Amino acid sequence: MDKKINCVVLLGPTAVGKTALGVRLARRFGWDIVSADSRQVYRGLDIGSGKDLADYTVVEKNSDGSESTFTVPYHLIDVATLDTEFNVFDFQQRFYALMNSNVSQERMTFVVGGTGMYIDSILRAYDFVPVPENVELRKSLESKSLEELDAMLLDLKPDLHNRSDLILRDRVLRAIEIAMFMRSEECAVARAKLEKRPDVNAFVIGTTLDRDDVRSNIRRRLLERLDGGMVEEIQGLHDSGYSWERLEKLGLEYRYVSLYLEGKIEKRDEMVENLYHAICQFAKRQETWFRGMERKGVKINWLPRVKDGEARFNAAIDLLRQSCVCC
């Protein structure tokens, strides 16, 4: 007998209308939304990260002609500050806590987002354990050459997949550190402190558009955000104490606008064009990541590539009914 679906995921690249579709589905079925976006977790990153929190509030017509306003609850937005580095491990742990709570209440967990690694980490259950820096180990390895370190790592992990790490000393050291920690008694202690991993049985819906439509949406949305105060938002973050380096590390809007404000990109038009092309490239990388997930066994049920939001909403409803998610 098939396991009951307890998680629905709506994924897709940037600028294809995931939030609007997700809010409609959440409202239809009484679900909360768990955001899977690596920048929307940060407080203060509003316009540049495209939080669009107003979209979570919907106005509905009543039978008597009056209107009611309803806000769809959301999670994992504004949960960290830029003083910390929020990563995929943090996301996974917070997601597990939310899902464990939902399972205990027999509630569906509904994930909406485009950060592929975040989504993949819960669908394919990445095995994370927080590994502290081992100062003594690093000191004992100082005299070893990169070739010796590579050999040591391959001995510890003969099935190493990412061989590109073998050319960077810092990454090799960290990989050795992690591999040795995973074999230690400390690892078992650390693992026992982690959030209990729920049994995630997910139904995954994918939404995207033709490439020209994605690019058109990216440009339109970028100009809207610039008109809406994105440059001023990023200047304000710097004025409040965050370095340009910290803001640049956030990528895309925060990187290019910071470079412009620093004078490293002289003209606003040049910044806009460079940023537009960078976002387009990012959308392509997202698509590539999702295809990689499919090759690794994640079943993604793709909606028709139509711009009509109503058609995509109805197609999503049909998929959910066929899968018995909402039977």
Side-chain angles (χ1 to χ4, degrees), residues 72-134:
V72 172
Y74 55 82
H75 305 273
L76 300 191
I77 293 177
D78 290 340
V79 295
T81 72
L82 287 174
D83 300 307
T84 61
E85 289 281 355
F86 193 96
N87 57 34
V88 63
F89 170 76
D90 298 316
F91 171 82
Q92 188 192 61
Q93 288 295 289
R94 286 179 180 256
F95 170 83
Y96 283 170
L98 285 167
M99 182 151 185
N100 283 328
S101 175
N102 284 343
V103 169
S104 69
Q105 300 174 62
E106 297 187 344
R107 286 175 53 85
M108 182 67 70
T109 300
F110 182 38
V111 181
V112 179
T115 300
M117 185 175 286
Y118 279 18
I119 295 169
D120 202 27
S121 77
I122 58 176
L123 295 181
R124 297 198 303 117
Y126 287 13
D127 186 20
F128 286 131
V129 180
V131 180
E133 184 174 309
N134 188 330

Short mmCIF file of all heavy atoms in Angstrom, two decimals, residues 72-134:
data_model
loop_
_atom_site.label_atom_id
_atom_site.label_comp_id
_atom_site.label_asym_id
_atom_site.label_seq_id
_atom_site.Cartn_x
_atom_site.Cartn_y
_atom_site.Cartn_z
N VAL A 72 -2.60 34.22 4.28
CA VAL A 72 -2.09 32.85 4.35
C VAL A 72 -0.86 32.82 5.26
O VAL A 72 0.09 33.57 5.04
CB VAL A 72 -1.71 32.33 2.95
CG1 VAL A 72 -0.99 30.99 3.04
CG2 VAL A 72 -2.95 32.22 2.08
N PRO A 73 -0.87 32.00 6.30
CA PRO A 73 0.31 31.94 7.19
C PRO A 73 1.54 31.43 6.44
O PRO A 73 1.44 30.55 5.57
CB PRO A 73 -0.12 30.94 8.27
CG PRO A 73 -1.62 30.89 8.19
CD PRO A 73 -1.95 31.11 6.74
N TYR A 74 2.69 31.98 6.78
CA TYR A 74 3.93 31.54 6.13
C TYR A 74 5.02 31.33 7.18
O TYR A 74 4.96 31.87 8.29
CB TYR A 74 4.39 32.55 5.08
CG TYR A 74 4.55 33.97 5.58
CD1 TYR A 74 5.72 34.37 6.24
CD2 TYR A 74 3.55 34.92 5.40
CE1 TYR A 74 5.89 35.67 6.69
CE2 TYR A 74 3.70 36.21 5.85
CZ TYR A 74 4.87 36.58 6.50
OH TYR A 74 5.03 37.86 6.97
N HIS A 75 6.02 30.54 6.80
CA HIS A 75 7.11 30.17 7.70
C HIS A 75 8.45 30.29 6.97
O HIS A 75 8.52 30.21 5.75
CB HIS A 75 6.94 28.74 8.21
CG HIS A 75 5.61 28.48 8.86
ND1 HIS A 75 5.38 28.70 10.19
CD2 HIS A 75 4.43 28.05 8.33
CE1 HIS A 75 4.12 28.40 10.48
NE2 HIS A 75 3.53 27.99 9.37
N LEU A 76 9.51 30.44 7.74
CA LEU A 76 10.89 30.53 7.26
C LEU A 76 11.14 31.74 6.38
O LEU A 76 11.95 31.72 5.47
CB LEU A 76 11.32 29.24 6.56
CG LEU A 76 11.26 27.98 7.44
CD1 LEU A 76 11.94 26.80 6.76
CD2 LEU A 76 11.86 28.21 8.82
N ILE A 77 10.42 32.80 6.67
CA ILE A 77 10.68 34.13 6.12
C ILE A 77 10.97 35.04 7.31
O ILE A 77 10.27 34.98 8.33
CB ILE A 77 9.49 34.67 5.31
CG1 ILE A 77 9.29 33.83 4.04
CG2 ILE A 77 9.70 36.13 4.94
CD1 ILE A 77 8.09 34.25 3.20
N ASP A 78 12.03 35.86 7.20
CA ASP A 78 12.41 36.78 8.30
C ASP A 78 12.75 36.04 9.60
O ASP A 78 12.35 36.44 10.69
CB ASP A 78 11.29 37.79 8.57
CG ASP A 78 11.13 38.80 7.45
OD1 ASP A 78 12.08 38.98 6.68
OD2 ASP A 78 10.05 39.42 7.35
N VAL A 79 13.53 34.96 9.48
CA VAL A 79 13.87 34.17 10.66
C VAL A 79 15.33 34.34 11.08
O VAL A 79 15.78 33.74 12.05
CB VAL A 79 13.58 32.67 10.45
CG1 VAL A 79 12.09 32.45 10.26
CG2 VAL A 79 14.36 32.12 9.25
N ALA A 80 16.10 35.15 10.33
CA ALA A 80 17.53 35.33 10.65
C ALA A 80 17.93 36.76 10.34
O ALA A 80 17.23 37.49 9.62
CB ALA A 80 18.39 34.35 9.85
N THR A 81 19.06 37.18 10.90
CA THR A 81 19.62 38.49 10.58
C THR A 81 20.89 38.30 9.77
O THR A 81 21.46 37.20 9.71
CB THR A 81 19.96 39.29 11.85
OG1 THR A 81 21.13 38.69 12.48
CG2 THR A 81 18.80 39.30 12.84
N LEU A 82 21.34 39.38 9.16
CA LEU A 82 22.57 39.31 8.36
C LEU A 82 23.82 39.16 9.23
O LEU A 82 24.92 39.00 8.70
CB LEU A 82 22.69 40.56 7.49
CG LEU A 82 21.75 40.63 6.29
CD1 LEU A 82 21.86 41.98 5.60
CD2 LEU A 82 22.03 39.51 5.31
N ASP A 83 23.65 39.19 10.54
CA ASP A 83 24.79 38.95 11.42
C ASP A 83 25.18 37.48 11.42
O ASP A 83 26.26 37.11 11.90
CB ASP A 83 24.44 39.38 12.86
CG ASP A 83 24.10 40.86 12.93
OD1 ASP A 83 24.91 41.67 12.46
OD2 ASP A 83 23.01 41.20 13.44
N THR A 84 24.30 36.62 10.93
CA THR A 84 24.56 35.19 10.90
C THR A 84 24.53 34.68 9.46
O THR A 84 24.01 35.35 8.57
CB THR A 84 23.50 34.41 11.71
OG1 THR A 84 22.21 34.65 11.13
CG2 THR A 84 23.49 34.88 13.16
N GLU A 85 25.08 33.50 9.24
CA GLU A 85 25.02 32.84 7.94
C GLU A 85 23.98 31.72 8.04
O GLU A 85 24.20 30.72 8.72
CB GLU A 85 26.38 32.26 7.56
CG GLU A 85 27.43 33.30 7.22
CD GLU A 85 27.28 33.85 5.80
OE1 GLU A 85 26.41 33.34 5.06
OE2 GLU A 85 28.01 34.78 5.45
N PHE A 86 22.85 31.90 7.39
CA PHE A 86 21.81 30.87 7.37
C PHE A 86 22.10 29.95 6.19
O PHE A 86 22.26 30.41 5.06
CB PHE A 86 20.44 31.53 7.21
CG PHE A 86 19.28 30.62 7.48
CD1 PHE A 86 18.67 30.60 8.72
CD2 PHE A 86 18.79 29.78 6.48
CE1 PHE A 86 17.58 29.76 8.96
CE2 PHE A 86 17.71 28.94 6.71
CZ PHE A 86 17.10 28.93 7.96
N ASN A 87 22.18 28.65 6.45
CA ASN A 87 22.57 27.74 5.37
C ASN A 87 21.58 26.60 5.21
O ASN A 87 20.55 26.54 5.90
CB ASN A 87 23.99 27.20 5.61
CG ASN A 87 24.12 26.50 6.96
OD1 ASN A 87 23.18 25.86 7.43
ND2 ASN A 87 25.27 26.62 7.59
N VAL A 88 21.89 25.66 4.33
CA VAL A 88 20.97 24.58 4.01
C VAL A 88 20.73 23.68 5.23
O VAL A 88 19.62 23.16 5.42
CB VAL A 88 21.48 23.77 2.80
CG1 VAL A 88 22.80 23.08 3.10
CG2 VAL A 88 20.44 22.75 2.36
N PHE A 89 21.73 23.52 6.09
CA PHE A 89 21.55 22.74 7.32
C PHE A 89 20.53 23.42 8.22
O PHE A 89 19.63 22.76 8.78
CB PHE A 89 22.88 22.57 8.05
CG PHE A 89 22.74 22.00 9.44
CD1 PHE A 89 22.48 20.65 9.62
CD2 PHE A 89 22.85 22.80 10.56
CE1 PHE A 89 22.34 20.11 10.90
CE2 PHE A 89 22.72 22.28 11.84
CZ PHE A 89 22.46 20.93 12.01
N ASP A 90 20.64 24.74 8.37
CA ASP A 90 19.68 25.48 9.18
C ASP A 90 18.27 25.33 8.63
O ASP A 90 17.30 25.13 9.37
CB ASP A 90 20.05 26.97 9.23
CG ASP A 90 21.41 27.22 9.86
OD1 ASP A 90 21.69 26.59 10.90
OD2 ASP A 90 22.17 28.04 9.32
N PHE A 91 18.15 25.44 7.31
CA PHE A 91 16.84 25.28 6.68
C PHE A 91 16.27 23.89 6.96
O PHE A 91 15.11 23.74 7.35
CB PHE A 91 16.93 25.50 5.17
CG PHE A 91 15.65 25.15 4.45
CD1 PHE A 91 14.60 26.05 4.40
CD2 PHE A 91 15.50 23.90 3.85
CE1 PHE A 91 13.41 25.72 3.76
CE2 PHE A 91 14.31 23.56 3.20
CZ PHE A 91 13.27 24.48 3.16
N GLN A 92 17.09 22.88 6.76
CA GLN A 92 16.62 21.50 6.94
C GLN A 92 16.13 21.27 8.36
O GLN A 92 15.07 20.68 8.58
CB GLN A 92 17.74 20.51 6.60
CG GLN A 92 17.29 19.06 6.57
CD GLN A 92 18.46 18.10 6.53
OE1 GLN A 92 19.30 18.07 7.43
NE2 GLN A 92 18.53 17.32 5.46
N GLN A 93 16.89 21.76 9.33
CA GLN A 93 16.50 21.56 10.73
C GLN A 93 15.19 22.27 11.07
O GLN A 93 14.31 21.72 11.74
CB GLN A 93 17.62 22.04 11.66
CG GLN A 93 18.84 21.14 11.67
CD GLN A 93 18.53 19.77 12.24
OE1 GLN A 93 18.30 19.63 13.43
NE2 GLN A 93 18.52 18.75 11.39
N ARG A 94 15.04 23.49 10.57
CA ARG A 94 13.80 24.24 10.83
C ARG A 94 12.62 23.60 10.10
O ARG A 94 11.51 23.56 10.63
CB ARG A 94 13.98 25.70 10.42
CG ARG A 94 14.85 26.49 11.40
CD ARG A 94 15.00 27.92 10.93
NE ARG A 94 15.81 28.73 11.80
CZ ARG A 94 15.34 29.64 12.66
NH1 ARG A 94 14.05 29.84 12.75
NH2 ARG A 94 16.16 30.36 13.41
N PHE A 95 12.87 23.11 8.89
CA PHE A 95 11.81 22.42 8.17
C PHE A 95 11.38 21.17 8.92
O PHE A 95 10.17 20.90 9.05
CB PHE A 95 12.27 22.06 6.76
CG PHE A 95 11.30 21.15 6.06
CD1 PHE A 95 10.18 21.67 5.43
CD2 PHE A 95 11.49 19.77 6.06
CE1 PHE A 95 9.25 20.83 4.81
CE2 PHE A 95 10.58 18.93 5.44
CZ PHE A 95 9.46 19.46 4.82
N TYR A 96 12.34 20.38 9.39
CA TYR A 96 12.00 19.16 10.12
C TYR A 96 11.13 19.47 11.34
O TYR A 96 10.18 18.74 11.63
CB TYR A 96 13.28 18.44 10.56
CG TYR A 96 13.99 17.68 9.47
CD1 TYR A 96 15.27 17.15 9.68
CD2 TYR A 96 13.42 17.48 8.22
CE1 TYR A 96 15.94 16.45 8.69
CE2 TYR A 96 14.08 16.79 7.22
CZ TYR A 96 15.35 16.27 7.47
OH TYR A 96 16.00 15.58 6.49
N ALA A 97 11.46 20.55 12.04
CA ALA A 97 10.67 20.92 13.22
C ALA A 97 9.23 21.26 12.82
O ALA A 97 8.27 20.83 13.47
CB ALA A 97 11.31 22.10 13.94
N LEU A 98 9.09 22.03 11.73
CA LEU A 98 7.76 22.39 11.25
C LEU A 98 6.99 21.16 10.79
O LEU A 98 5.80 20.99 11.11
CB LEU A 98 7.87 23.38 10.09
CG LEU A 98 8.25 24.82 10.44
CD1 LEU A 98 8.65 25.58 9.18
CD2 LEU A 98 7.09 25.53 11.14
N MET A 99 7.65 20.28 10.06
CA MET A 99 6.95 19.12 9.53
C MET A 99 6.58 18.15 10.65
O MET A 99 5.49 17.55 10.62
CB MET A 99 7.79 18.42 8.48
CG MET A 99 7.04 17.23 7.89
SD MET A 99 7.49 16.85 6.20
CE MET A 99 6.29 15.53 5.88
N ASN A 100 7.45 17.96 11.62
CA ASN A 100 7.12 17.09 12.75
C ASN A 100 5.87 17.59 13.46
O ASN A 100 5.01 16.81 13.87
CB ASN A 100 8.29 17.00 13.72
CG ASN A 100 9.39 16.08 13.22
OD1 ASN A 100 9.13 15.10 12.53
ND2 ASN A 100 10.64 16.39 13.56
N SER A 101 5.78 18.92 13.61
CA SER A 101 4.59 19.50 14.23
C SER A 101 3.35 19.25 13.38
O SER A 101 2.29 18.88 13.89
CB SER A 101 4.80 21.01 14.43
OG SER A 101 3.62 21.62 14.93
N ASN A 102 3.49 19.44 12.05
CA ASN A 102 2.35 19.20 11.16
C ASN A 102 1.90 17.74 11.17
O ASN A 102 0.71 17.44 11.16
CB ASN A 102 2.71 19.62 9.73
CG ASN A 102 2.70 21.12 9.54
OD1 ASN A 102 2.15 21.86 10.34
ND2 ASN A 102 3.35 21.58 8.48
N VAL A 103 2.88 16.82 11.17
CA VAL A 103 2.55 15.39 11.19
C VAL A 103 1.76 15.05 12.46
O VAL A 103 0.78 14.30 12.41
CB VAL A 103 3.83 14.54 11.09
CG1 VAL A 103 3.54 13.08 11.39
CG2 VAL A 103 4.45 14.66 9.70
N SER A 104 2.18 15.61 13.58
CA SER A 104 1.48 15.32 14.84
C SER A 104 0.06 15.85 14.84
O SER A 104 -0.81 15.32 15.53
CB SER A 104 2.26 15.92 16.02
OG SER A 104 2.19 17.34 16.01
N GLN A 105 -0.19 16.89 14.01
CA GLN A 105 -1.53 17.46 13.90
C GLN A 105 -2.28 16.99 12.65
O GLN A 105 -3.37 17.46 12.37
CB GLN A 105 -1.44 18.99 13.87
CG GLN A 105 -0.78 19.61 15.08
CD GLN A 105 -0.60 21.11 14.91
OE1 GLN A 105 -1.58 21.86 14.76
NE2 GLN A 105 0.64 21.56 14.92
N GLU A 106 -1.65 16.05 11.92
CA GLU A 106 -2.21 15.52 10.67
C GLU A 106 -2.51 16.65 9.69
O GLU A 106 -3.53 16.66 9.00
CB GLU A 106 -3.48 14.69 10.96
CG GLU A 106 -3.20 13.46 11.80
CD GLU A 106 -4.41 12.55 11.95
OE1 GLU A 106 -5.54 13.03 11.65
OE2 GLU A 106 -4.24 11.40 12.34
N ARG A 107 -1.57 17.59 9.60
CA ARG A 107 -1.67 18.71 8.66
C ARG A 107 -0.68 18.52 7.52
O ARG A 107 0.41 17.99 7.71
CB ARG A 107 -1.38 20.04 9.37
CG ARG A 107 -2.49 20.53 10.27
CD ARG A 107 -2.07 21.78 11.03
NE ARG A 107 -1.56 22.84 10.15
CZ ARG A 107 -2.33 23.71 9.52
NH1 ARG A 107 -3.64 23.65 9.64
NH2 ARG A 107 -1.79 24.65 8.75
N MET A 108 -1.06 18.99 6.35
CA MET A 108 -0.17 18.92 5.19
C MET A 108 0.92 19.98 5.33
O MET A 108 0.68 21.10 5.80
CB MET A 108 -0.96 19.18 3.90
CG MET A 108 -0.13 19.09 2.63
SD MET A 108 0.46 17.42 2.30
CE MET A 108 -1.11 16.62 1.86
N THR A 109 2.13 19.63 4.92
CA THR A 109 3.23 20.59 4.84
C THR A 109 3.37 21.02 3.38
O THR A 109 3.49 20.18 2.48
CB THR A 109 4.55 19.97 5.33
OG1 THR A 109 4.39 19.56 6.69
CG2 THR A 109 5.69 20.97 5.24
N PHE A 110 3.33 22.33 3.15
CA PHE A 110 3.34 22.87 1.79
C PHE A 110 4.54 23.78 1.63
O PHE A 110 4.64 24.82 2.27
CB PHE A 110 2.04 23.64 1.54
CG PHE A 110 1.90 24.21 0.14
CD1 PHE A 110 2.34 23.51 -0.96
CD2 PHE A 110 1.30 25.45 -0.04
CE1 PHE A 110 2.19 24.03 -2.25
CE2 PHE A 110 1.14 25.98 -1.32
CZ PHE A 110 1.59 25.27 -2.42
N VAL A 111 5.47 23.38 0.76
CA VAL A 111 6.72 24.10 0.53
C VAL A 111 6.65 24.82 -0.81
O VAL A 111 6.29 24.22 -1.83
CB VAL A 111 7.92 23.14 0.53
CG1 VAL A 111 9.23 23.90 0.32
CG2 VAL A 111 7.97 22.35 1.83
N VAL A 112 7.01 26.10 -0.81
CA VAL A 112 7.03 26.88 -2.05
C VAL A 112 8.37 27.60 -2.15
O VAL A 112 8.78 28.31 -1.23
CB VAL A 112 5.89 27.93 -2.07
CG1 VAL A 112 5.95 28.76 -3.36
CG2 VAL A 112 4.53 27.26 -1.93
N GLY A 113 9.08 27.42 -3.26
CA GLY A 113 10.34 28.12 -3.40
C GLY A 113 11.16 27.68 -4.59
O GLY A 113 10.79 26.77 -5.33
N GLY A 114 12.31 28.36 -4.73
CA GLY A 114 13.16 28.09 -5.87
C GLY A 114 14.60 27.78 -5.52
O GLY A 114 15.43 27.61 -6.43
N THR A 115 14.92 27.71 -4.23
CA THR A 115 16.29 27.35 -3.84
C THR A 115 16.43 25.84 -3.89
O THR A 115 16.03 25.13 -2.97
CB THR A 115 16.64 27.90 -2.45
OG1 THR A 115 16.51 29.33 -2.46
CG2 THR A 115 18.07 27.54 -2.06
N GLY A 116 16.99 25.36 -5.00
CA GLY A 116 17.02 23.93 -5.27
C GLY A 116 17.66 23.10 -4.19
O GLY A 116 17.15 22.03 -3.83
N MET A 117 18.78 23.56 -3.64
CA MET A 117 19.47 22.76 -2.63
C MET A 117 18.63 22.64 -1.36
O MET A 117 18.63 21.58 -0.71
CB MET A 117 20.84 23.35 -2.31
CG MET A 117 21.65 22.49 -1.35
SD MET A 117 23.32 23.10 -1.05
CE MET A 117 24.11 22.67 -2.60
N TYR A 118 17.93 23.70 -0.99
CA TYR A 118 17.05 23.63 0.17
C TYR A 118 16.00 22.54 -0.04
O TYR A 118 15.76 21.69 0.83
CB TYR A 118 16.36 24.97 0.40
CG TYR A 118 17.18 26.02 1.12
CD1 TYR A 118 18.56 25.92 1.22
CD2 TYR A 118 16.56 27.12 1.71
CE1 TYR A 118 19.31 26.89 1.86
CE2 TYR A 118 17.29 28.09 2.37
CZ TYR A 118 18.66 27.98 2.44
OH TYR A 118 19.39 28.95 3.10
N ILE A 119 15.35 22.58 -1.20
CA ILE A 119 14.28 21.62 -1.48
C ILE A 119 14.84 20.21 -1.58
O ILE A 119 14.28 19.25 -1.03
CB ILE A 119 13.55 22.03 -2.77
CG1 ILE A 119 12.84 23.38 -2.56
CG2 ILE A 119 12.54 20.95 -3.18
CD1 ILE A 119 12.30 24.00 -3.83
N ASP A 120 15.95 20.06 -2.27
CA ASP A 120 16.57 18.74 -2.43
C ASP A 120 16.98 18.15 -1.09
O ASP A 120 16.90 16.95 -0.88
CB ASP A 120 17.78 18.87 -3.36
CG ASP A 120 18.17 17.55 -4.01
OD1 ASP A 120 17.28 16.69 -4.18
OD2 ASP A 120 19.35 17.37 -4.35
N SER A 121 17.41 19.01 -0.16
CA SER A 121 17.87 18.52 1.14
C SER A 121 16.77 17.84 1.93
O SER A 121 17.05 16.97 2.76
CB SER A 121 18.46 19.68 1.96
OG SER A 121 17.44 20.50 2.53
N ILE A 122 15.50 18.23 1.67
CA ILE A 122 14.40 17.59 2.40
C ILE A 122 13.79 16.44 1.60
O ILE A 122 13.30 15.47 2.18
CB ILE A 122 13.31 18.61 2.79
CG1 ILE A 122 12.74 19.34 1.58
CG2 ILE A 122 13.89 19.62 3.78
CD1 ILE A 122 11.62 20.29 1.88
N LEU A 123 13.85 16.54 0.27
CA LEU A 123 13.29 15.46 -0.55
C LEU A 123 14.20 14.24 -0.57
O LEU A 123 13.72 13.10 -0.60
CB LEU A 123 13.04 15.96 -1.97
CG LEU A 123 11.99 17.05 -2.14
CD1 LEU A 123 11.85 17.43 -3.62
CD2 LEU A 123 10.64 16.63 -1.58
N ARG A 124 15.51 14.48 -0.56
CA ARG A 124 16.45 13.35 -0.61
C ARG A 124 17.21 13.18 0.70
O ARG A 124 18.19 12.44 0.78
CB ARG A 124 17.42 13.52 -1.79
CG ARG A 124 16.70 13.51 -3.13
CD ARG A 124 17.62 13.23 -4.30
NE ARG A 124 18.70 14.18 -4.38
CZ ARG A 124 20.00 13.87 -4.26
NH1 ARG A 124 20.38 12.62 -4.05
NH2 ARG A 124 20.92 14.80 -4.36
N ALA A 125 16.72 13.87 1.75
CA ALA A 125 17.20 13.66 3.12
C ALA A 125 18.73 13.73 3.24
O ALA A 125 19.38 12.78 3.65
CB ALA A 125 16.70 12.32 3.66
N TYR A 126 19.29 14.90 2.88
CA TYR A 126 20.73 15.08 3.06
C TYR A 126 21.12 14.74 4.50
O TYR A 126 20.43 15.14 5.44
CB TYR A 126 21.11 16.54 2.80
CG TYR A 126 21.08 17.00 1.37
CD1 TYR A 126 20.50 16.25 0.35
CD2 TYR A 126 21.64 18.23 1.02
CE1 TYR A 126 20.48 16.71 -0.96
CE2 TYR A 126 21.62 18.70 -0.29
CZ TYR A 126 21.03 17.93 -1.27
OH TYR A 126 21.00 18.40 -2.56
N ASP A 127 22.20 14.02 4.64
CA ASP A 127 22.66 13.59 5.97
C ASP A 127 23.63 14.62 6.53
O ASP A 127 24.83 14.56 6.29
CB ASP A 127 23.32 12.22 5.88
CG ASP A 127 23.68 11.66 7.25
OD1 ASP A 127 23.10 12.12 8.25
OD2 ASP A 127 24.55 10.78 7.33
N PHE A 128 23.10 15.58 7.28
CA PHE A 128 23.91 16.64 7.84
C PHE A 128 24.20 16.40 9.32
O PHE A 128 23.32 15.96 10.07
CB PHE A 128 23.20 18.00 7.75
CG PHE A 128 23.15 18.58 6.37
CD1 PHE A 128 21.96 19.04 5.85
CD2 PHE A 128 24.29 18.69 5.60
CE1 PHE A 128 21.90 19.60 4.58
CE2 PHE A 128 24.25 19.24 4.33
CZ PHE A 128 23.05 19.70 3.82
N VAL A 129 25.41 16.69 9.71
CA VAL A 129 25.78 16.75 11.12
C VAL A 129 26.70 17.96 11.28
O VAL A 129 27.64 18.11 10.48
CB VAL A 129 26.54 15.48 11.59
CG1 VAL A 129 26.90 15.61 13.06
CG2 VAL A 129 25.70 14.24 11.37
N PRO A 130 26.43 18.84 12.23
CA PRO A 130 27.32 20.00 12.40
C PRO A 130 28.70 19.56 12.86
O PRO A 130 28.84 18.90 13.88
CB PRO A 130 26.61 20.84 13.49
CG PRO A 130 25.73 19.87 14.21
CD PRO A 130 25.32 18.84 13.20
N VAL A 131 29.71 19.89 12.06
CA VAL A 131 31.08 19.44 12.35
C VAL A 131 31.93 20.63 12.79
O VAL A 131 32.18 21.55 12.01
CB VAL A 131 31.71 18.79 11.10
CG1 VAL A 131 33.13 18.33 11.41
CG2 VAL A 131 30.86 17.63 10.62
N PRO A 132 32.38 20.64 14.05
CA PRO A 132 33.21 21.76 14.53
C PRO A 132 34.61 21.70 13.94
O PRO A 132 35.07 20.64 13.49
CB PRO A 132 33.24 21.54 16.04
CG PRO A 132 33.09 20.05 16.20
CD PRO A 132 32.17 19.61 15.09
N GLU A 133 35.28 22.83 13.93
CA GLU A 133 36.66 22.86 13.45
C GLU A 133 37.56 22.13 14.44
O GLU A 133 37.47 22.34 15.65
CB GLU A 133 37.14 24.30 13.28
CG GLU A 133 38.54 24.41 12.69
CD GLU A 133 38.93 25.84 12.41
OE1 GLU A 133 38.16 26.56 11.74
OE2 GLU A 133 40.02 26.25 12.87
N ASN A 134 38.42 21.27 13.92
CA ASN A 134 39.34 20.49 14.74
C ASN A 134 40.72 21.13 14.65
O ASN A 134 41.49 20.85 13.72
CB ASN A 134 39.37 19.04 14.26
CG ASN A 134 40.16 18.13 15.18
OD1 ASN A 134 41.10 18.56 15.83
ND2 ASN A 134 39.77 16.88 15.23
#
